[in-house]
Amino acid sequence: HPEVDDSNLAITDDGGATWKPVAVHPQYYFSDVTYIDPNRNEVLAVGSSHLLQLDPGKSKTIASQPINMNAVTTTRPGEAIAVGAKGQVMQWNSRNRD
């Protein structure tokens, strides 16, 4: 149930030895996550029902929108490309979201 707002996102600051749930909502199923801007501690998570840009250190949702994406990668600080079903490609620029 990818559209269910549940505890699906966690962060680590010790290389994966321990994990802490991220206290932001909505929190749907996410299939991939990337640091969109490590200098600003922002991450971009994508899944089959939503895209979420957040600052996990502040538990702050920056942007959330319904969209179906499977994978995401950062191309340079503040920018990412996500891919979805049937060749769908989306470019993300966090500077336009401030």
Side-chain angles (χ1 to χ4, degrees):
H1 301 282
E3 70 286 349
V4 175
D5 183 10
D6 201 357
S7 184
N8 293 309
L9 195 58
I11 59 172
T12 181
D13 57 9
D14 58 12
T18 60
W19 293 85
K20 295 179 278 190
V22 176
V24 297
H25 292 279
Q27 198 176 121
Y28 305 102
Y29 168 78
F30 299 106
S31 55
D32 201 7
V33 64
T34 188
Y35 272 104
I36 189 165
D37 192 339
N39 299 323
R40 294 173 58 182
N41 200 30
E42 290 179 24
V43 297
L44 186 64
V46 297
S48 58
S49 68
H50 279 77
L51 174 145
L52 178 69
Q53 182 184 354
L54 58 98
D55 180 337
K58 297 178 182 172
S59 298
K60 175 183 162 192
T61 301
I62 298 169
S64 178
Q65 58 186 310
I67 196 161
N68 182 353
M69 290 290 161
N70 300 321
V72 63
T73 189
T74 302
T75 54
R76 61 181 162 189
E79 295 182 13
I81 293 179
V83 295
K86 299 180 182 178
Q88 183 181 12
V89 178
M90 182 189 78
Q91 185 174 1
W92 184 267
N93 184 329
S94 70
R95 290 177 196 87
N96 294 338
R97 309 280 182 216
D98 288 339

